[in-house]
């Protein structure tokens, strides 16, 4: 829009082919003219404004005159060029020999659509209907019938020039606002884009770091556990090895917490709701949590109510994670006494119609009242001294609270310093929130089996391993050979595919991130050529969705790195055919004989 000064625009163009009419307009509108009928004006003002007329008052207009439409158009163009547009024009309908008033207005509006027009017409000219048909219905057009009335012309000029200025100002304001909104939107969009790419970079960094840290940890924990199993160690050496392994596992837990927390921050932590057996879930919890409590000399018990439902819809992996967090805290902050997990059904008194309540009670140090709410915040710990004494990241409860929320439940705590604490989780029996529920076989990994009897862990099998990291090659080869298997090592997916084509293997362990051909591709292609050869994905990358991707590629199982010896044995037991295991037992027997 053409910039226009804040003061009023009183420029008026008179377009008429008769000199006399120009004079008439000048007499009515020109502020310097003495020809105005001041009495009549005075009266008009008194009527309109409701006050005593002042004879001296008269608005000054800046008038320009043209005799022909063409000439008028040129004047309008010039005025626009000089950034001094006209506010209005009085246009006669008949202006021979050139364009008539209608055509003139049409052409002027093409160059200055804001110009307010008053078309001056005698009764014999165009009918009103015809004029409107040609010029369209617009609020920028008024029709003034001849002969004119001086007051009418004067008032029209006042009102219409004022309207021009007001609408110009309103439009400028609107444009100003629109451009402000546009600028702000642009700024917001840029900020959003930056945040998104920063988040993506963070996600990529985390995935890489997870991989980078897990690979050496794989070696530390893997070799550590292998050495721990050696009989030749002195008790002290064995104790040291156990400490190394435990420290490694602790470090992994901390890293997993950090990863989970970042996923929560990025809104990328999802739950997978499945129907799961209550009995199975409780047995698993018992098996998993009892040993660490008992190893500290604390009594551990699980008390279940009789009326528990047979099944509930939830994400058992995440429920387990929440309870592990609570029980680990209970163990950490309890020196003597007992830890009790009570599981009961709550059918009334809650917003959730039917829910299962898990209470984790301990007889530990307790938490002061005023610190109770804060401990659920990320990085918050009840006090610095306990932190120094007991360690921890302050993330466990923050993650637990988020997870419980995702599962549609609530978490609360009651505690008395010196007496103990009770953390309670309430989870709906029938999950009603949105979920990523599907039939992914990741549930297969859910069941915790009793501790494997390592003496029997001997298998007579041919194993193909695709792994590019030399350390991991040595580790997995040693682990498998230690249990009696013959191992063929390949450096990448392509080599593994070639080996699988050539001969039979009882099982394939397939790393995922490898050069030349990655594990997903190699798994897919092995499945095509040897559909019966089970492939187990090995990955050091703990990001969400990894197991799903492996299963989609055709992997039967998923073994996260660092490789847990027991988990490995479970997988071998599950995927090696029965005769391999029968033979394994006889091999074991012949070895012991
Ligand atoms: P971390 O245990 O890693 O410090 P959490 O988020 O799991 O982080 O716990 C936060 C804080 O809450 C702990 O540092 C501790 O002060 C307090 N806390 C949690 N559970 C218990 C418990 N069972 N008894 C006493 N204090 C607890």
């Amino acid at each position: 829009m053409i910039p226009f000064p804040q003061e009023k625009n009183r420029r008026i163009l008179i377009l008429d082919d008769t000199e006399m009419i120009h004079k008439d307009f000048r007499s009515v509108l020109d502020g310097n003219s003495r020809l105005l009928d001041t009495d009549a004006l005075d009266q008009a003002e008194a009527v309109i404004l409701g006050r005593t007329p002042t004879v001296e008052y008269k608005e000054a207009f800046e008038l320009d005159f043209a005799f022909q439409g063409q000439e008028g158009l040129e004047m309008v163009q010039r005025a626009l060029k000089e950034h001094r547009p006209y506010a209005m024009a009085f246009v006669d309908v008949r202006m021979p020999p050139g364009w008539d008033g209608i055509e003139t207005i049409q052409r002027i509006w093409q160059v200055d659509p804001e110009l307010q027009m008053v078309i001056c017409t005698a009764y014999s000219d165009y009918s009103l209907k015809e004029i409107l048909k040609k010029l369209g219905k617009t609020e920028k057009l008024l029709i003034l019938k001849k002969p004119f009335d001086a007051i009418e012309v004067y008032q029209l000029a006042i009102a219409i020039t004022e309207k021009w200025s007001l609408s110009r100002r309103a439009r400028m304001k609107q444009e100003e606002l629109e451009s402000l909104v546009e600028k702000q939107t642009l700024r917001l969009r840029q900020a959003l884009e930056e945040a998104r790419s920063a988040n993506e970079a963070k996600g990529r960094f985390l995935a890489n770091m997870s991989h980078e840290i897990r690979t050496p940890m794989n070696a530390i924990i893997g070799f550590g556990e292998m050495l721990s199993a050696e009989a030749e160690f002195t008790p002290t050496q064995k104790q040291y090895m156990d400490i190394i392994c435990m420290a490694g596992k602790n470090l992994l837990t901390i890293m997993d917490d950090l990863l989970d927390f970042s996923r929560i921050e990025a809104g990328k932590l999802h739950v997978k709701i499945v129907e799961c057996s209550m009995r199975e879930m409780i047995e698993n919890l018992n098996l998993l949590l009892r040993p660490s409590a008992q190893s500290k000399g604390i009594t551990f018990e699980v008390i279940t109510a009789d009326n528990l439902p047979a099944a509930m819809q939830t994400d058992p992996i995440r429920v387990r994670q929440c309870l592990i967090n609570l029980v680990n805290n209970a163990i950490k902050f309890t020196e003597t006494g007992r830890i009790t997990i009570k599981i009961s059904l709550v059918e009334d008194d809650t917003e959730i119609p039917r829910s299962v309540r898990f209470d984790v009670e301990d007889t530990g140090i307790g938490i002061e009242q005023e610190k109770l709410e804060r401990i659920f915040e990320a990085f918050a710990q009840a006090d610095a001294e306990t932190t120094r004494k007991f360690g921890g990241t302050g993330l466990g409860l923050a993650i637990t609270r988020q997870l419980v929320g995702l599962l549609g439940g609530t978490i609360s705590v009651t505690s008395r310093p010196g007496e103990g604490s009770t953390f309670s989780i309430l989870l709906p029996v029938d999950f009603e929130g949105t979920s990523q529920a599907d039939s992914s076989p990741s549930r297969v990994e859910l069941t915790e089996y009793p501790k494997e009897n390592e003496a029997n862990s001997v298998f007579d099998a041919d194993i193909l391993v695709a792994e590019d990291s030399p350390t991991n090659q040595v580790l997995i080869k040693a682990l498998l050979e230690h249990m009696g298997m013959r191992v063929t090592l390949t450096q990448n997916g392509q080599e593994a595919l070639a080996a699988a084509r050539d001969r039979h293997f009882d099982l394939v362990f397939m790393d995922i991130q490898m050069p030349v051909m990655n594990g997903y591709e190699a798994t897919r292609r092995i499945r095509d050529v040897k559909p019966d050869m089970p492939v187990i994905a090995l990955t050091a990358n703990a990001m969400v969705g990894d197991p799903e991707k492996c299963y989609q590629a055709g992997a039967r199982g998923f073994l996260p790195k660092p490789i847990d010896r027991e988990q490995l044995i479970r997988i071998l037991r599950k995927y090696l055919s029965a005769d391999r295991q029968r033979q394994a037992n006889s091999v074991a027997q012949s070895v012991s004989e």
Side-chain angles (χ1 to χ4, degrees), residues 126-161:
Y126 288 95
S127 75
L128 187 70
K129 223 174 172 181
E130 278 171 309
I131 294 174
L132 290 181
K133 201 170 152 202
K134 286 189 180 245
L135 293 178
K137 279 184 187 155
T138 159
E139 39 75 43
K140 291 193 185 77
L141 180 71
L142 267 177
I143 297 167
L144 186 63
K145 293 281 183 193
K146 288 179 183 174
F148 311 136
D149 182 292
I151 300 165
E152 203 175 349
V153 168
Y154 181 77
Q155 284 306 130
L156 268 181
I158 294 240
I160 291 177
T161 53

Short mmCIF file of all heavy atoms in Angstrom, two decimals, residues 126-161:
data_model
loop_
_atom_site.label_atom_id
_atom_site.label_comp_id
_atom_site.label_asym_id
_atom_site.label_seq_id
_atom_site.Cartn_x
_atom_site.Cartn_y
_atom_site.Cartn_z
N TYR A 126 -28.37 6.84 -17.37
CA TYR A 126 -28.50 5.41 -17.03
C TYR A 126 -29.49 5.21 -15.88
O TYR A 126 -29.55 6.04 -14.98
CB TYR A 126 -27.16 4.85 -16.55
CG TYR A 126 -26.14 4.68 -17.64
CD1 TYR A 126 -25.20 5.67 -17.89
CD2 TYR A 126 -26.09 3.49 -18.38
CE1 TYR A 126 -24.24 5.52 -18.86
CE2 TYR A 126 -25.10 3.33 -19.36
CZ TYR A 126 -24.20 4.34 -19.59
OH TYR A 126 -23.25 4.19 -20.53
N SER A 127 -30.16 4.09 -15.90
CA SER A 127 -30.97 3.76 -14.73
C SER A 127 -30.03 3.26 -13.63
O SER A 127 -28.91 2.80 -13.91
CB SER A 127 -32.00 2.69 -15.07
OG SER A 127 -31.34 1.44 -15.16
N LEU A 128 -30.51 3.36 -12.44
CA LEU A 128 -29.71 2.92 -11.29
C LEU A 128 -29.27 1.46 -11.46
O LEU A 128 -28.13 1.08 -11.20
CB LEU A 128 -30.59 3.06 -10.03
CG LEU A 128 -29.89 2.82 -8.71
CD1 LEU A 128 -28.91 3.94 -8.44
CD2 LEU A 128 -30.90 2.73 -7.59
N LYS A 129 -30.23 0.68 -11.95
CA LYS A 129 -29.98 -0.75 -12.15
C LYS A 129 -28.81 -0.97 -13.11
O LYS A 129 -27.92 -1.79 -12.86
CB LYS A 129 -31.25 -1.39 -12.73
CG LYS A 129 -31.58 -2.70 -12.10
CD LYS A 129 -32.90 -3.15 -12.63
CE LYS A 129 -33.19 -4.56 -12.18
NZ LYS A 129 -34.46 -4.99 -12.72
N GLU A 130 -28.85 -0.16 -14.20
CA GLU A 130 -27.78 -0.30 -15.21
C GLU A 130 -26.42 0.06 -14.63
O GLU A 130 -25.42 -0.61 -14.87
CB GLU A 130 -28.08 0.60 -16.41
CG GLU A 130 -29.07 0.01 -17.38
CD GLU A 130 -29.48 1.04 -18.42
OE1 GLU A 130 -29.88 2.17 -18.01
OE2 GLU A 130 -29.39 0.74 -19.61
N ILE A 131 -26.42 1.15 -13.86
CA ILE A 131 -25.14 1.59 -13.27
C ILE A 131 -24.58 0.49 -12.36
O ILE A 131 -23.41 0.11 -12.47
CB ILE A 131 -25.33 2.89 -12.43
CG1 ILE A 131 -25.72 4.03 -13.37
CG2 ILE A 131 -24.07 3.23 -11.65
CD1 ILE A 131 -26.07 5.33 -12.65
N LEU A 132 -25.43 -0.04 -11.53
CA LEU A 132 -24.95 -1.07 -10.59
C LEU A 132 -24.51 -2.32 -11.33
O LEU A 132 -23.56 -3.00 -10.93
CB LEU A 132 -26.05 -1.41 -9.57
CG LEU A 132 -26.34 -0.29 -8.57
CD1 LEU A 132 -27.42 -0.72 -7.60
CD2 LEU A 132 -25.08 0.09 -7.79
N LYS A 133 -25.20 -2.61 -12.42
CA LYS A 133 -24.84 -3.79 -13.19
C LYS A 133 -23.43 -3.63 -13.77
O LYS A 133 -22.62 -4.55 -13.77
CB LYS A 133 -25.86 -3.99 -14.31
CG LYS A 133 -25.90 -5.41 -14.85
CD LYS A 133 -27.08 -5.60 -15.77
CE LYS A 133 -26.74 -6.68 -16.78
NZ LYS A 133 -27.56 -6.55 -17.97
N LYS A 134 -23.16 -2.40 -14.24
CA LYS A 134 -21.85 -2.17 -14.87
C LYS A 134 -20.73 -2.04 -13.84
O LYS A 134 -19.62 -2.50 -14.07
CB LYS A 134 -21.90 -0.90 -15.74
CG LYS A 134 -22.67 -1.14 -17.02
CD LYS A 134 -22.53 0.03 -17.96
CE LYS A 134 -23.32 -0.24 -19.23
NZ LYS A 134 -22.57 -0.37 -20.41
N LEU A 135 -21.01 -1.37 -12.75
CA LEU A 135 -19.92 -1.09 -11.80
C LEU A 135 -19.89 -2.08 -10.62
O LEU A 135 -18.94 -2.11 -9.85
CB LEU A 135 -20.04 0.33 -11.27
CG LEU A 135 -19.80 1.41 -12.32
CD1 LEU A 135 -20.00 2.79 -11.71
CD2 LEU A 135 -18.41 1.32 -12.92
N GLY A 136 -20.92 -2.87 -10.53
CA GLY A 136 -20.96 -3.83 -9.44
C GLY A 136 -21.40 -3.18 -8.15
O GLY A 136 -21.36 -1.96 -8.01
N LYS A 137 -21.82 -4.03 -7.19
CA LYS A 137 -22.27 -3.47 -5.91
C LYS A 137 -21.05 -3.22 -5.05
O LYS A 137 -20.31 -4.14 -4.74
CB LYS A 137 -23.20 -4.47 -5.22
CG LYS A 137 -24.59 -4.41 -5.77
CD LYS A 137 -25.52 -5.32 -5.01
CE LYS A 137 -26.86 -5.35 -5.71
NZ LYS A 137 -27.61 -6.56 -5.44
N THR A 138 -20.82 -1.97 -4.72
CA THR A 138 -19.64 -1.66 -3.91
C THR A 138 -19.92 -0.49 -2.99
O THR A 138 -20.69 0.41 -3.35
CB THR A 138 -18.40 -1.34 -4.80
OG1 THR A 138 -17.49 -0.59 -4.02
CG2 THR A 138 -18.76 -0.52 -6.03
N GLU A 139 -19.29 -0.52 -1.85
CA GLU A 139 -19.51 0.60 -0.92
C GLU A 139 -18.68 1.81 -1.32
O GLU A 139 -18.71 2.84 -0.67
CB GLU A 139 -19.22 0.18 0.53
CG GLU A 139 -18.02 -0.73 0.76
CD GLU A 139 -16.68 -0.05 0.65
OE1 GLU A 139 -16.54 1.06 1.17
OE2 GLU A 139 -15.77 -0.64 0.03
N LYS A 140 -17.94 1.71 -2.43
CA LYS A 140 -17.12 2.86 -2.84
C LYS A 140 -17.86 3.74 -3.85
O LYS A 140 -17.28 4.63 -4.44
CB LYS A 140 -15.81 2.36 -3.46
CG LYS A 140 -14.91 1.73 -2.43
CD LYS A 140 -13.51 1.53 -2.95
CE LYS A 140 -12.70 0.78 -1.92
NZ LYS A 140 -12.99 -0.64 -1.88
N LEU A 141 -19.12 3.41 -4.07
CA LEU A 141 -19.87 4.15 -5.08
C LEU A 141 -21.13 4.77 -4.49
O LEU A 141 -21.89 4.11 -3.79
CB LEU A 141 -20.26 3.19 -6.21
CG LEU A 141 -21.05 3.80 -7.36
CD1 LEU A 141 -20.16 4.71 -8.20
CD2 LEU A 141 -21.66 2.71 -8.23
N LEU A 142 -21.30 6.07 -4.81
CA LEU A 142 -22.56 6.73 -4.43
C LEU A 142 -23.15 7.35 -5.69
O LEU A 142 -22.42 7.76 -6.59
CB LEU A 142 -22.29 7.84 -3.42
CG LEU A 142 -22.38 7.47 -1.95
CD1 LEU A 142 -22.00 8.69 -1.12
CD2 LEU A 142 -23.80 7.04 -1.59
N ILE A 143 -24.48 7.46 -5.73
CA ILE A 143 -25.10 8.05 -6.91
C ILE A 143 -25.77 9.35 -6.48
O ILE A 143 -26.56 9.37 -5.52
CB ILE A 143 -26.08 7.06 -7.54
CG1 ILE A 143 -25.28 5.84 -8.00
CG2 ILE A 143 -26.82 7.71 -8.70
CD1 ILE A 143 -26.11 4.67 -8.35
N LEU A 144 -25.40 10.41 -7.17
CA LEU A 144 -25.94 11.73 -6.82
C LEU A 144 -26.78 12.22 -7.98
O LEU A 144 -26.27 12.35 -9.11
CB LEU A 144 -24.77 12.68 -6.54
CG LEU A 144 -25.10 14.06 -6.02
CD1 LEU A 144 -25.78 13.99 -4.66
CD2 LEU A 144 -23.82 14.91 -5.92
N LYS A 145 -28.05 12.45 -7.70
CA LYS A 145 -28.95 12.89 -8.78
C LYS A 145 -28.84 14.40 -9.00
O LYS A 145 -28.76 15.16 -8.03
CB LYS A 145 -30.39 12.53 -8.40
CG LYS A 145 -30.65 11.03 -8.35
CD LYS A 145 -30.84 10.48 -9.73
CE LYS A 145 -31.17 8.98 -9.63
NZ LYS A 145 -31.06 8.33 -10.93
N LYS A 146 -28.82 14.78 -10.26
CA LYS A 146 -28.82 16.22 -10.58
C LYS A 146 -30.26 16.72 -10.53
O LYS A 146 -31.18 15.92 -10.81
CB LYS A 146 -28.27 16.42 -11.98
CG LYS A 146 -26.77 16.20 -12.08
CD LYS A 146 -26.34 16.40 -13.53
CE LYS A 146 -24.87 16.12 -13.72
NZ LYS A 146 -24.48 16.16 -15.13
N PRO A 147 -30.53 17.97 -10.34
CA PRO A 147 -29.57 19.00 -9.93
C PRO A 147 -29.12 18.80 -8.48
O PRO A 147 -29.85 18.26 -7.68
CB PRO A 147 -30.38 20.29 -10.08
CG PRO A 147 -31.80 19.85 -9.89
CD PRO A 147 -31.92 18.48 -10.39
N PHE A 148 -27.86 19.27 -8.20
CA PHE A 148 -27.31 19.04 -6.86
C PHE A 148 -27.83 20.04 -5.86
O PHE A 148 -28.20 21.14 -6.20
CB PHE A 148 -25.78 19.20 -6.85
CG PHE A 148 -25.10 18.45 -7.92
CD1 PHE A 148 -24.07 19.06 -8.63
CD2 PHE A 148 -25.44 17.14 -8.21
CE1 PHE A 148 -23.40 18.37 -9.60
CE2 PHE A 148 -24.76 16.47 -9.19
CZ PHE A 148 -23.75 17.08 -9.89
N ASP A 149 -27.71 19.63 -4.65
CA ASP A 149 -27.96 20.53 -3.54
C ASP A 149 -26.60 20.82 -2.90
O ASP A 149 -25.83 19.90 -2.62
CB ASP A 149 -28.88 19.80 -2.55
CG ASP A 149 -29.24 20.67 -1.38
OD1 ASP A 149 -28.32 20.97 -0.57
OD2 ASP A 149 -30.42 21.01 -1.28
N ALA A 150 -26.29 22.09 -2.69
CA ALA A 150 -24.96 22.47 -2.19
C ALA A 150 -24.62 21.76 -0.87
O ALA A 150 -23.53 21.22 -0.69
CB ALA A 150 -24.90 23.97 -1.99
N ILE A 151 -25.59 21.72 0.02
CA ILE A 151 -25.31 21.11 1.34
C ILE A 151 -25.05 19.62 1.18
O ILE A 151 -24.14 19.06 1.80
CB ILE A 151 -26.49 21.33 2.29
CG1 ILE A 151 -26.69 22.83 2.46
CG2 ILE A 151 -26.24 20.66 3.63
CD1 ILE A 151 -28.00 23.17 3.06
N GLU A 152 -25.84 19.03 0.29
CA GLU A 152 -25.69 17.60 0.07
C GLU A 152 -24.26 17.30 -0.43
O GLU A 152 -23.59 16.40 0.08
CB GLU A 152 -26.71 17.16 -0.98
CG GLU A 152 -27.03 15.69 -0.91
CD GLU A 152 -28.16 15.35 -1.89
OE1 GLU A 152 -28.80 16.27 -2.45
OE2 GLU A 152 -28.35 14.15 -2.10
N VAL A 153 -23.82 18.10 -1.38
CA VAL A 153 -22.46 17.91 -1.94
C VAL A 153 -21.42 18.12 -0.85
O VAL A 153 -20.49 17.32 -0.69
CB VAL A 153 -22.24 18.89 -3.13
CG1 VAL A 153 -20.77 18.92 -3.54
CG2 VAL A 153 -23.12 18.52 -4.29
N TYR A 154 -21.59 19.16 -0.10
CA TYR A 154 -20.61 19.48 0.94
C TYR A 154 -20.54 18.34 1.98
O TYR A 154 -19.46 17.87 2.34
CB TYR A 154 -21.01 20.81 1.61
CG TYR A 154 -20.05 21.22 2.68
CD1 TYR A 154 -18.81 21.79 2.36
CD2 TYR A 154 -20.36 21.04 4.03
CE1 TYR A 154 -17.92 22.16 3.35
CE2 TYR A 154 -19.47 21.41 5.03
CZ TYR A 154 -18.26 21.97 4.68
OH TYR A 154 -17.38 22.34 5.66
N GLN A 155 -21.71 17.88 2.43
CA GLN A 155 -21.74 16.82 3.44
C GLN A 155 -21.16 15.51 2.89
O GLN A 155 -20.48 14.77 3.59
CB GLN A 155 -23.16 16.60 3.97
CG GLN A 155 -23.61 17.66 4.93
CD GLN A 155 -22.63 17.85 6.09
OE1 GLN A 155 -22.26 18.98 6.38
NE2 GLN A 155 -22.21 16.78 6.75
N LEU A 156 -21.49 15.26 1.62
CA LEU A 156 -20.94 14.05 0.97
C LEU A 156 -19.41 14.09 0.99
O LEU A 156 -18.73 13.12 1.31
CB LEU A 156 -21.39 13.96 -0.48
CG LEU A 156 -22.67 13.18 -0.77
CD1 LEU A 156 -22.96 13.19 -2.27
CD2 LEU A 156 -22.50 11.73 -0.30
N ALA A 157 -18.89 15.30 0.62
CA ALA A 157 -17.43 15.44 0.55
C ALA A 157 -16.82 15.21 1.92
O ALA A 157 -15.81 14.51 2.06
CB ALA A 157 -17.07 16.82 0.01
N ILE A 158 -17.44 15.80 2.93
CA ILE A 158 -16.91 15.61 4.29
C ILE A 158 -16.93 14.13 4.67
O ILE A 158 -15.93 13.55 5.09
CB ILE A 158 -17.78 16.39 5.31
CG1 ILE A 158 -17.66 17.88 5.06
CG2 ILE A 158 -17.45 15.97 6.75
CD1 ILE A 158 -17.13 18.70 6.21
N ALA A 159 -18.11 13.51 4.49
CA ALA A 159 -18.28 12.13 4.96
C ALA A 159 -17.39 11.17 4.18
O ALA A 159 -16.75 10.27 4.75
CB ALA A 159 -19.75 11.72 4.84
N ILE A 160 -17.33 11.37 2.87
CA ILE A 160 -16.60 10.37 2.07
C ILE A 160 -15.09 10.52 2.21
O ILE A 160 -14.37 9.53 2.30
CB ILE A 160 -17.06 10.45 0.60
CG1 ILE A 160 -18.50 9.93 0.54
CG2 ILE A 160 -16.17 9.60 -0.31
CD1 ILE A 160 -19.13 10.00 -0.81
N THR A 161 -14.61 11.76 2.26
CA THR A 161 -13.15 11.90 2.45
C THR A 161 -12.75 11.35 3.82
O THR A 161 -11.71 10.70 3.98
CB THR A 161 -12.68 13.37 2.32
OG1 THR A 161 -13.46 14.16 3.19
CG2 THR A 161 -12.78 13.87 0.89
#
